[in-house]
Amino acid sequence: MKRALIFAAVGEASTGLALLIVPGLVGRLLLGEELTGMAIPVARVAGIALIALGVACWPGTPLLGMLTYSAAVTLYLAYVGFTGGSTGILLWPAVVLHVILTVLLARAAHSERIMA
């Protein structure tokens, strides 16, 4: 069981990393078409989620996976907002929400480490 979980974690994290770095290529290889426009940032957020899923499934705590996702998506969404990419009305509230979640998850991870 542990080997299967590690294999799945590595596979998902690898796919997530590919989506984060070269989303157009992944789209072409998986779906037969290049990803363009708004599909690129959506694919990158999906990539971040897959990396976090891989971290969560790796032997350890799922809390680290959620912390990874929240911190990474905070940074990416803020980057999109600051670089003048497409910004919807909920972009900055989403950034603030993820900052709060990241802080809460980091505190929980820190407390968990102290308790162990």
Side-chain angles (χ1 to χ4, degrees):
M1 176 69 149
K2 186 176 179 178
R3 276 192 226 170
L5 192 57
I6 290 172
F7 180 74
V10 169
E12 295 302 333
S14 299
T15 303
L17 190 59
L19 276 168
L20 193 58
I21 296 170
V22 286
L25 176 62
V26 175
R28 189 168 2 127
L29 294 173
L30 286 177
L31 306 172
E33 276 192 46
E34 187 92 15
L35 299 178
T36 60
M38 285 310 301
I40 298 291
V42 171
R44 287 192 168 128
V45 170
I48 290 168
L50 287 175
I51 292 167
L53 178 64
V55 170
C57 290
W58 194 260
T61 173
L63 176 60
L64 185 56
M66 285 305 297
L67 178 56
T68 300
Y69 173 75
S70 191
V73 89
T74 298
L75 293 173
Y76 180 67
L77 291 177
Y79 169 78
V80 167
F82 285 127
T83 59
S86 299
T87 57
I89 192 168
L90 292 179
L91 177 68
W92 291 110
V95 171
V96 170
L97 174 64
H98 280 286
V99 166
I100 293 167
L101 286 172
T102 300
V103 169
L104 292 173
L105 290 165
R107 288 179 70 196
H110 181 70
S111 294
E112 190 175 278
R113 186 180 306 166
I114 290 173
M115 300 294 246

